[in-house]
Amino acid sequence: MAAGRGAGLLRPPMSSGRATFLELFFDLAFVVALSRVSQRFAALGDDTGWALVTGFGRTLLLFLALWLIWSHTAWITSRYEPEQPVIQAVVVATMFAGLVMAVTLPRAMEERALPFTAAYLMVMVVRPLVVAAALRGHPRRLVPFRLAVWASASAPLWLAGALGPDHLRLPLWVAALAVDYVAWALGWPLPWLGVAKVGRWRIAGTHLADRYQQMFLIALGESILVIGVVFGGADYSAERAAAFAIAFATSALLWRIYFYRAGLLLTKAFDRAGMPGRLGAASERTHLLIVLSVLVTSVGYELVIDEPFGQPRPSWLLFVVGGPMLFLVARMRLEWEIFGQVSRSQIIGLAALLLFTPALARWAPMVGLSVVAGVLALVPLIDGLRRRRQPQEVSVSPTRPETSGDRDSEA
């Protein structure tokens, strides 16, 4: 009977794959968070050497913590019925915690470390306990219980980093975040309970695909916001106007490259997958890289629009060229997950950026952004020419059909 009551929390097989309005509302907190991440990256514009490396690493750590919160929430609403009051309360509470993390993020590695940590741990420790209690006697209650146990294991490292000396914060938080990500990858193993690998979870795959696409568009929207704000706040000139136009064209090209076939067919790939949880786990890591690459690229826009013909610095090369390179790598990974192959156009684009990088290190930022935009334009151009000669690809099942050995009664 208890299992029956708990089963009402699970997503029914025929539930809609579209995100609910509450989930779209939830994403607003992460619009703020991503803008804060971009601001921290942009503050590295004048750094060089070790200061640039450590500054990038600190911001990357904060982004990874935010991503873990968002991705866990996306999986929860793909696994449980988002119209249930308990799940709605969980999403709203997570949104508030995400907003706290976003507000504290600019100084999260300094004096605001404790509120950032408290908000993070409230989601990672308390939320799965609430879900486990709502599931009551259902066998799946052990999955969120595992999450809570592992999050509790990393919590002392988070708190020690927040409350301890500043010089120990980064290594302690790196260790804590590593525990959280390794636990996610291993399926939160516990003695006598085994593992609950996300690849075996029963989820609404089309819903999860929809959420990944939406997060990519949110990151792309953040890049457009950066372009508008920086150009609107700077002194107008022909050089800045040209940089503004090229930055916008670059964002449009990122959109085109992502959605042409692979990104567009992501939902169908989940439909065809024998084990959508396995594709979801792989796609989660891919979209982490995609979103990060868009944020890094948007920082490059800011640097170029601000000083189109300023002196070349290692920092601008990292953002202007490194961001698009990371995007192409992640996009190739996505194509492999959908089609089991990689387009030649993306390989050519990545090779061209690698080839041009040494020369771009000696040229003004405007030249670098122009070259990047030109290389990215080649990718859809080559795809368009190939499309005339060959039939369009169709998504193939990227996972083998589920067998009895793959089943997990708790998953």
Side-chain angles (χ1 to χ4, degrees), residues 6-32:
L9 204 64
L10 307 180
R11 258 188 180 268
M14 301 305 294
S15 64
S16 172
R18 303 299 299 177
T20 63
F21 290 118
L22 177 60
E23 291 173 272
L24 299 178
F25 180 51
F26 165 80
D27 286 342
L28 295 179
F30 283 83
V31 172
V32 179

Side-chain angles (χ1 to χ4, degrees), residues 223-224 226-228 230-232 237-253 301 304-305 308 366 369-370 373-374:
S223 73
I224 297 297
V226 168
I227 293 170
V230 175
F231 182 59
S237 66
E239 293 83 2
R240 288 196 173 100
F244 169 80
I246 295 173
F248 175 80
T250 303
S251 285
L253 287 167
Y301 300 156
V304 176
I305 295 173
M366 181 71 165
L369 184 61
S370 301

Side-chain angles (χ1 to χ4, degrees), residues 69-93:
I69 297 295
W70 183 88
S71 61
H72 277 200
T73 306
W75 278 79
I76 285 175
T77 53
S78 295
R79 184 171 168 81
Y80 305 108
E81 177 52 61
E83 299 294 344
Q84 286 285 342
V86 172
I87 300 302
Q88 290 181 340
V90 164
V91 172
V92 172

Side-chain angles (χ1 to χ4, degrees), residues 198-231:
V198 294
R200 299 177 182 176
W201 284 12
R202 297 179 179 90
I203 59 169
T206 55
H207 175 268
L208 194 60
D210 197 42
R211 298 297 286 136
Y212 288 149
Q213 291 169 337
Q214 288 164 359
M215 179 49 69
F216 167 70
L217 289 174
I218 288 171
L220 210 57
E222 166 61 21
S223 73
I224 297 297
L225 179 64
V226 168
I227 293 170
V229 169
V230 175
F231 182 59

Side-chain angles (χ1 to χ4, degrees), residues 71-282:
S71 61
H72 277 200
T73 306
W75 278 79
I76 285 175
T77 53
S78 295
R79 184 171 168 81
Y80 305 108
E81 177 52 61
E83 299 294 344
Q84 286 285 342
V86 172
I87 300 302
Q88 290 181 340
V90 164
V91 172
V92 172
T94 304
M95 178 182 178
F96 179 75
L99 191 58
V100 171
M101 293 174 68
V103 171
T104 58
L105 191 142
R107 303 292 297 173
M109 297 299 295
E110 292 81 24
E111 71 273 8
R112 293 185 178 179
L114 185 57
F116 181 89
T117 300
Y120 177 83
L121 292 179
M122 283 293 292
V123 176
M124 296 297 291
V125 178
V126 178
R127 182 174 68 178
L129 292 177
V130 172
V131 174
L135 286 169
R136 301 174 187 178
H138 196 279
R140 289 197 195 180
R141 74 190 186 283
L142 295 178
V143 175
F145 175 75
R146 288 185 178 97
L147 272 68
V149 171
W150 272 91
S152 299
S154 67
L157 293 172
W158 284 106
L159 291 172
L163 298 172
D166 291 350
H167 68 278
L168 293 179
R169 184 163 299 137
L170 181 59
L172 286 171
W173 280 10
V174 167
L177 194 64
V179 171
D180 291 339
Y181 269 91
V182 168
W184 167 272
L186 296 180
W188 303 277
L190 289 178
W192 300 290
L193 295 181
V195 300
K197 289 188 175 181
V198 294
R200 299 177 182 176
W201 284 12
R202 297 179 179 90
I203 59 169
T206 55
H207 175 268
L208 194 60
D210 197 42
R211 298 297 286 136
Y212 288 149
Q213 291 169 337
Q214 288 164 359
M215 179 49 69
F216 167 70
L217 289 174
I218 288 171
L220 210 57
E222 166 61 21
S223 73
I224 297 297
L225 179 64
V226 168
I227 293 170
V229 169
V230 175
F231 182 59
D235 294 333
Y236 289 96
S237 66
E239 293 83 2
R240 288 196 173 100
F244 169 80
I246 295 173
F248 175 80
T250 303
S251 285
L253 287 167
L254 295 180
W255 167 83
R256 177 65 171 78
I257 294 169
Y258 173 86
F259 277 108
Y260 180 73
R261 306 304 295 158
L264 192 63
L265 294 178
L266 183 61
T267 300
K268 290 185 178 180
F270 271 95
D271 287 338
R272 292 171 177 263
M275 298 178 67
R278 181 173 296 174
L279 176 59

Side-chain angles (χ1 to χ4, degrees), residues 308-391:
F309 292 97
Q311 290 297 320
R313 297 187 298 269
S315 58
W316 80 260
L317 196 65
L318 171 65
F319 297 114
V320 174
V321 184
M325 288 175 62
L326 179 60
F327 176 82
L328 288 176
V329 170
R331 180 57 179 74
M332 286 190 287
R333 177 185 165 98
L334 179 65
E335 185 136 338
W336 180 263
E337 293 164 2
I338 305 302
F339 301 121
Q341 62 184 17
V342 176
S343 294
R344 186 180 304 171
S345 62
Q346 293 157 39
I347 298 175
I348 293 173
L350 181 61
L353 289 179
L354 287 170
L355 183 64
F356 286 131
T357 296
L360 293 178
R362 299 189 296 270
W363 288 88
M366 181 71 165
V367 176
L369 184 61
S370 301
V371 170
V372 166
V375 170
L376 291 179
L378 281 176
V379 176
L381 178 61
I382 295 173
D383 285 337
L385 294 174
R386 184 186 51 141
R387 181 181 176 182
R388 294 180 179 180
R389 299 190 302 267
Q390 300 176 4

